[in-house]
Amino acid sequence: PKGYATSWNEGVKRIFGYEEAEFVGHDSAPLIFPPEDVKNGIPQMEMDIAAREGSASDDRWMQRKDGTRGERSMSLSGIA
């Protein structure tokens, strides 16, 4: 599965710092996951779980557009 964002809301801007045009239609993994998680395949593992089970939830460190990090609860939904 690919992790292209299909929607956006004000929470994305408030929490991650991205405007709609910067987020929708883009691979979200390198935008919100720390580089070491991307390198270690964490986003892909979570997308695989969401595809297989319908969703995947996790609490983890995420990265904002400006590079700062914060612990976030997230949920991915699989899209058929």
Side-chain angles (χ1 to χ4, degrees):
K2 297 289 184 182
Y4 290 92
T6 59
S7 64
W8 176 94
N9 60 47
E10 283 294 322
V12 174
K13 182 176 180 180
R14 188 177 69 254
I15 295 168
F16 294 108
Y18 289 100
E19 298 290 341
E20 185 174 12
E22 298 173 297
F23 197 76
V24 173
H26 297 274
D27 183 359
S28 60
L31 299 178
I32 63 173
F33 281 84
E36 60 272 17
D37 283 357
V38 174
K39 181 180 176 185
N40 290 324
I42 301 298
Q44 187 62 53
M45 286 190 303
E46 291 191 2
M47 286 184 281
D48 290 345
I49 292 168
R52 186 175 58 250
E53 299 178 14
S55 66
S57 298
D58 199 3
D59 294 330
R60 68 170 49 259
W61 288 95
M62 305 298 288
Q63 186 163 292
R64 291 177 45 83
K65 180 179 174 180
D66 66 7
T68 59
R69 297 179 185 197
E71 192 169 9
R72 307 281 186 251
S73 292
M74 67 175 285
S75 179
L76 297 175
S77 296
I79 299 175

